[in-house]
Amino acid sequence: MEFQLMPGGVISGEARVPGDKSISHRSIMLGAIAEGTTRISGFLEGEDALATVAAFRAMGVVIEGPEDGEVTVRGVGLHGLRAPDAALDMGNSGTSIRLLSGLLAGQSFDVELTGDVSLCKRPMGRVMDPLRLMGARIEGTATGTPPLRIQGGTPLRGIHYDLPMASAQVKSCVLLAGLYAEGRTSVTEPAPTRDHTERMLGGFGCPVSVEEGVIAVTGGSSLTATEIDVPADISSAAFFLVAASIAPGSDLLLTHVGINPTRIGVINILRAMGADLTLKNERTVGGEPVADIRVRYAPLRGIEIPAEQVPLAIDEFPALFVAAACAEGTTVLRGAEELRVKESDRIAAMAEGLSTLGVRNEVLEDGIVIEGGRLGGGEIHTYHDHRIAMSFAIAALRAEEEIRILDCDHVATSFPGFDALARGLGLQITARAE
Ligand code: S3P
């Protein structure tokens, strides 16, 4: 599928974007190993979260739905998973493979985890290293990429792990393995990352201690089924926060958006650039803070992105680069080398697309410098990355010519129905078969 965008447009109206991807994955994983029946609403019916559903079904867990975002998971308890008949295919989903590698390292059966071309290029040494320290037997390819083979029946021991990179996936992997390990498993991180695993484990009645930056679980703690209301994904909302900020005349309300403090870098950065964002109706839903966000057009200015905001906005940089391209002056991002190992090398992919549109930029090893200016049009390559596709779609609001975005199928991994929703809010987007 490709997207064709006519230049210009105004973003207005009200929308609730699909459910949070990180929380959706975790709701299935923890629901599956809990005792009792977990009911989930607002679940993301995107391919990534569905890969997690399929994996647990293949391990004998009865999961009903999703239907209109409702999912019922019949938990089998900590030790109730069964050996799957075949390799578990995690598709495009880094969260599925990295969290599951931890959860499955402590099972009694062997398992193989694989994925699509993009996933099979992504580094897994970052999860294999701590798991091996815990005693797990796990192997990847010679270059440390999937497929991963995990040998079951290997006892795990609790460790303390000082994460070498700010990664919620690695943190979560170690904590989930810790549920199956002897004794206490703890982690420290170089910077705070999304804490949905810790919050949700607490919601399932499994104690997680967080003291002076040390996050710890105790092996053998059981989980009790619960109800989960998944907020709208701030990472999906981000495209429209930027869209309405850059398109003159825009006024948009995004409802029920998750505003967990470990995820709100995009709000902080856009505000620092001069965006007009108002949070309303702030509340807590199932342990996660939620708000409605009103965003109105405002002229943006380039900034130096504060280092501490980087992990808090890690998935939103493709959209933020478009904001930077539309801002007056220069935006500088550093300390974001993690962007190079996402679904694509997001620094390279965005730099290439911005250059196609005529936006001056300089690629750094760990970031990018973007000069705000006029946006032309052209043909964009997404490198199998959903967020690259959606970022250039919103760029069309300020483009002077048509933009054609090739290879947009992956948008469905995180944001099914993006083009229809975007059209309803004012983007001049057409999706067609390639
Ligand atoms: C995620 C963590 C982040 C993020 C990804 C989802 C998670 O990855 O980019 O989209 O749900 O834990 P890293 O842990 O690689 O930073």
Side-chain angles (χ1 to χ4, degrees):
M1 184 178 63
E2 66 175 51
F3 289 159
Q4 185 186 25
L5 281 301
M6 300 314 278
V10 175
I11 298 295
S12 62
E14 184 178 322
R16 176 169 169 165
V17 299
D20 188 277
K21 183 152 72 79
S22 295
I23 298 175
S24 294
H25 282 299
R26 287 158 172 82
S27 68
I28 299 294
M29 295 179 190
L30 300 192
I33 58 166
E35 310 275 347
T37 298
T38 289
R39 290 182 209 284
I40 308 163
S41 56
F43 186 79
L44 169 65
E45 298 184 33
E47 287 166 6
D48 277 13
L50 294 175
T52 293
V53 170
F56 281 93
R57 282 197 177 124
M59 292 187 287
V61 181
V62 174
I63 301 174
E64 290 141 39
E67 216 184 292
D68 292 331
E70 310 270 322
V71 183
T72 303
V73 185
R74 313 268 172 205
V76 295
L78 218 45
H79 299 287
L81 297 175
R82 290 204 311 261
D85 293 334
L88 300 175
D89 185 352
M90 313 288 40
N92 193 245
S93 177
T95 306
S96 306
I97 198 165
R98 295 210 179 101
L99 271 61
L100 273 181
S101 63
L103 198 153
L104 296 178
Q107 305 296 328
S108 58
F109 50 84
D110 297 352
V111 62
E112 182 175 328
L113 302 170
T114 188
D116 71 4
V117 275
S118 153
L119 192 63
C120 285
K121 285 189 199 141
R122 297 182 64 187
M124 296 297 144
R126 53 178 63 199
V127 289
M128 291 194 282
D129 290 346
L131 291 174
R132 284 179 183 142
L133 291 174
M134 296 177 82
R137 295 213 195 130
I138 179 165
E139 298 285 335
T141 64
T143 52
T145 57
L148 302 180
R149 282 189 196 80
I150 302 173
Q151 201 176 313
T154 321
L156 301 185
R157 55 183 173 271
I159 57 165
H160 174 74
Y161 194 62
D162 200 7
L163 293 175
M165 72 288 286
S167 165
Q169 292 177 354
V170 178
K171 169 176 67 175
S172 302
C173 165
V174 175
L175 293 175
L176 292 174
L179 296 177
Y180 292 90
E182 176 82 35
R184 176 181 147 105
T185 296
S186 57
V187 298
T188 44
E189 22 184 17
T193 65
R194 65 192 68 195
D195 63 358
H196 306 300
T197 302
E198 299 91 298
R199 283 176 188 251
M200 200 183 287
L201 279 170
F204 276 88
C206 172
V208 180
S209 89
V210 184
E211 273 169 37
E212 292 176 11
V214 182
I215 307 159
V217 294
T218 304
S221 310
S222 62
L223 280 64
T224 309
T226 185
E227 288 198 4
I228 297 170
D229 177 356
V230 182
D233 198 330
I234 191 168
S235 299
S236 297
F239 299 106
F240 295 107
L241 297 179
V242 172
S245 295
I246 63 173
S250 296
D251 187 349
L252 175 69
L253 185 70
L254 296 172
T255 58
H256 208 75
V257 183
I259 52 158
N260 180 312
T262 59
R263 297 285 298 280
I264 55 168
V266 62
I267 294 177
N268 300 335
I269 293 167
L270 282 174
R271 278 185 169 156
M273 296 176 79
D276 179 357
L277 307 180
T278 318
L279 270 52
K280 300 176 164 191
N281 200 9
E282 289 189 42
R283 57 214 181 263
T284 302
V285 175
E288 289 280 350
V290 167
D292 302 334
I293 307 179
R294 183 173 181 195
V295 48
R296 280 174 282 191
Y297 166 76
L300 302 181
R301 56 185 173 271
I303 59 164
E304 289 213 8
I305 295 175
E308 75 278 3
Q309 296 298 322
V310 172
L312 312 182
I314 196 68
D315 288 338
E316 289 66 73
F317 283 110
L320 286 167
F321 292 175
V322 171
C326 299
E328 188 170 334
T330 308
T331 296
V332 182
L333 172 68
R334 289 180 193 280
E337 55 281 344
E338 279 293 305
L339 292 181
R340 294 208 178 264
V341 290
K342 295 294 178 190
E343 286 83 330
S344 69
D345 175 343
R346 287 186 173 157
I347 294 175
M350 286 303 298
E352 182 189 303
L354 289 173
S355 297
T356 299
L357 301 187
V359 177
R360 281 171 48 201
N361 66 85
E362 184 196 343
V363 169
L364 312 173
E365 211 167 303
D366 63 344
I368 192 166
V369 180
I370 297 171
E371 302 288 342
R374 292 168 74 150
L375 278 63
E379 204 172 89
I380 302 290
H381 295 276
T382 66
Y383 296 94
H384 310 293
D385 188 333
H386 53 137
R387 300 202 199 280
I388 304 296
M390 292 185 275
S391 298
F392 284 106
I394 59 168
L397 290 161
R398 283 279 288 271
E400 291 168 4
E401 289 160 52
E402 192 179 314
I403 297 180
R404 202 170 142 222
I405 310 172
L406 307 175
D407 187 18
C408 293
D409 287 329
H410 284 80
V411 166
T413 60
S414 69
F415 202 148
F418 167 78
D419 55 304
L421 185 68
R423 205 162 31 248
L425 296 177
L427 212 67
Q428 302 182 67
I429 181 170
T430 317
R432 59 162 72 104
E434 252 161 304

